[in-house]
Amino acid sequence: MRSVDVARTALGNTFRSKLRTALTVVAIVIGAFTLTLTSGLGAGVNKYVDNVVAGFGDSSQMFVLKAGSAEAETEGPAEYDPEAAAGSSGMFGPGTGGDVLTESDIENIEDIDNVSAVDPVVVVSADYLENSAGDQYALTLDSPANALGLELEAGETPGDDGMDLSVPAEWLTVFDAEDAEQVIGETVEIGVSNVTGEQSTVEAEIVGVTEEALSGIGATPMPSRELNQELYDLSMEGYQGEAQDAYSMAVVDVDDLEANEQGVKDALSEEELLGMTVEDQIGAIQGVIDAVSWVLSGFGLIALLAASFGIVNTLLMSVQERTREIGLMKALGMSSGKVFGLFSMEAVVIGIMGSVIGVGLGVAAGLIGNGWLTGEGGPLGEVAGLTLFAVDPMALLGITALIVVIAFLAGTLPAARAAKKDPIEALRYE
């Protein structure tokens, strides 16, 4: 009997007991379905995390802040209070406080071993944003260095040139707009105070409306680099002599970051500075993703283990029922190896059917669920750029191959028992 004949015969024999085979296939489908969802969830969320990482910068860089620096969390724009703003001036201008990096800090960072480059990010402290109706709202600006991480609902990302500004989607109420496209092209005035308390204004054009990403980027307005520099220059006016620059943070390139990370962090700590890598900022997220993936994968493997016993039971009963048939095949010259291959192939057919159905249902459920949960109006629709499920063809092939291997291994016991049957005794079996 040729291999093709063995496969054709195995396929036909699989459906001799339809109910028994169907129940075994269902068990495999459950395992394949679970593993497919797990794989898709891991691929989808990790894809989103990769986008978040891109917003933070290069994974070989370290981000340095003054120890104890923290950003206040707010919900939506607050109305501007001139009296409260007047008392918030720091040594580098209103609103900066003392948690900034100075030129001395930058020089200390540059002197640390294995630090190859330092790119300081300038501090900008604006007072308010004024809309066309004359209403003023307290304003905190994000750094243009975070522009790569913006998730846009409308418009474009502020670039290097031009007095451009992006605003969060929740600021639409400031402009009495319901649709993000309505505020694109809107002209606003930004107020900024210098060290003497004198206020100046700068006109800016809204070019983008952003959604808040998981990293927090997009939750506050972001200026273009030119607008950012203009506001900074205005805030530094009034110093007697040369003004001292202040920086919100510094982006540091470290030679062989993996090997020198801890040494650089320790050196920064001695200078009362805090160094963070991209992995530090997203490590907790990745830990949760990995934990969930392992738990769900465990359920899938348990289901496959139960299914493997179902395959063993199905084929053992098949061997028992077809004892005389096995004896006849061997009496007609079919070798023990061919008999073993026949029953092993039946196990593989069951595994293929269960895996294909389970993987197909898993992909369909994942894509439908992702569209519902992250689409417009869905429970997670407000999380910008979120992808809960992504199709990874290599992972799906791996799941199918794993199930087929498990099915083959489960079928070896009944196949071996069939191959060992004595043809004379088998033909006498009643």
Side-chain angles (χ1 to χ4, degrees):
M1 183 179 288
R2 297 175 302 171
S3 298
V4 175
D5 296 326
V6 170
R8 185 183 298 110
T9 303
L11 182 61
N13 290 337
T14 300
F15 292 99
R16 283 190 174 185
S17 179
K18 293 182 177 60
L19 179 59
R20 190 166 62 206
T21 300
L23 292 175
T24 305
V25 169
V26 167
I28 298 175
V29 167
I30 293 172
F33 179 83
T34 305
L35 288 177
T36 301
L37 283 182
T38 302
S39 170
L41 285 171
V45 179
N46 280 318
K47 178 181 178 181
Y48 177 62
V49 171
D50 288 340
N51 292 335
V52 173
V53 172
F56 280 113
D58 196 309
S59 60
S60 65
Q61 294 175 329
M62 185 177 292
F63 304 89
V64 179
L65 304 89
K66 201 75 172 180
S69 295
E71 295 183 0
E73 294 184 2
T74 59
E75 292 187 6
E79 291 190 6
Y80 174 63
D81 185 352
E83 293 182 3
S88 63
S89 298
M91 63 182 294
F92 301 104
T96 61
D99 291 337
V100 294
L101 300 177
T102 64
E103 287 288 354
S104 176
D105 292 323
I106 300 301
E107 292 174 1
N108 290 335
I109 296 172
E110 290 174 337
D111 292 336
I112 294 176
D113 291 339
N114 300 308
V115 170
S116 57
V118 180
D119 181 18
V121 179
V122 76
V123 172
V124 173
S125 296
D127 294 338
Y128 63 83
L129 179 147
E130 182 177 318
N131 62 16
S132 57
D135 300 322
Q136 296 179 344
Y137 298 89
L139 181 62
T140 300
L141 293 173
D142 200 349
S143 169
N146 292 328
L148 287 174
L150 284 180
E151 295 287 348
L152 293 170
E153 183 173 320
E156 60 185 21
T157 301
D160 293 335
D161 303 323
M163 296 299 186
D164 298 336
L165 183 74
S166 68
V167 296
E170 62 182 22
W171 277 53
L172 293 179
T173 55
V174 170
F175 306 97
D176 294 326
E178 297 181 358
D179 182 60
E181 293 288 350
Q182 292 179 263
V183 304
I184 303 299
E186 187 90 14
T187 300
V188 297
E189 286 194 351
I190 298 175
V192 59
S193 298
N194 61 22
V195 292
T196 66
E198 181 182 352
Q199 276 190 337
S200 303
T201 60
V202 177
E203 280 194 353
E205 179 183 350
I206 297 177
V207 298
V209 177
T210 62
E211 297 178 340
E212 183 177 1
L214 190 62
S215 61
I217 295 173
T220 55
M222 180 179 293
S224 65
R225 288 186 179 273
E226 183 177 341
L227 176 58
N228 192 67
Q229 187 63 48
E230 176 69 16
L231 292 171
Y232 176 74
D233 292 340
L234 289 173
S235 69
M236 299 301 288
E237 288 182 351
Y239 277 106
Q240 298 298 321
E242 185 178 354
Q244 183 178 8
D245 285 333
Y247 308 101
S248 59
M249 70 173 182
V251 182
V252 176
D253 291 330
V254 179
D255 296 329
D256 194 359
L257 179 61
E258 185 175 351
N260 299 312
E261 176 183 342
Q262 193 56 50
V264 173
K265 285 183 176 179
D266 292 341
L268 290 170
S269 180
E270 292 177 3
E271 301 292 339
E272 297 185 352
L273 302 173
L274 175 64
M276 295 187 298
T277 63
V278 171
E279 286 72 18
D280 292 333
Q281 299 178 67
I282 64 170
I285 301 172
Q286 290 178 322
V288 172
I289 295 171
D290 291 341
V292 172
S293 296
W294 278 110
V295 170
L296 292 178
S297 295
F299 286 125
L301 291 174
I302 290 173
L304 289 178
L305 179 62
S308 67
F309 286 107
I311 293 173
V312 172
N313 179 66
T314 296
L315 293 183
L316 280 176
M317 294 182 66
S318 180
V319 170
Q320 187 73 16
E321 294 170 354
R322 293 155 57 191
T323 298
R324 289 175 61 87
E325 180 184 332
I326 294 170
L328 181 60
M329 287 189 294
K330 298 192 76 173
L332 292 174
M334 192 173 188
S335 66
S336 296
K338 290 291 186 180
V339 173
F340 180 88
L342 177 62
F343 282 88
S344 295
M345 184 60 69
E346 291 182 27
V348 170
V349 169
I350 293 174
I352 292 175
M353 287 193 298
S355 62
V356 170
I357 296 173
V359 167
L361 290 176
V363 169
L367 293 175
I368 294 172
N370 180 74
W372 175 67
L373 291 171
T374 64
E376 186 176 352
L380 301 176
E382 295 182 359
V383 182
L386 178 61
T387 301
L388 287 179
F389 186 90
V391 177
D392 183 350
M394 294 305 298
L396 299 182
L397 289 175
I399 291 170
T400 303
L402 174 64
I403 295 173
V404 171
V405 169
I406 290 175
F408 172 77
L409 293 176
T412 55
L413 176 61
R417 176 169 294 187
K420 292 179 181 178
K421 291 282 187 182
D422 180 83
I424 303 300
E425 294 297 325
L427 288 170
R428 293 176 178 172
Y429 182 79
E430 293 292 337

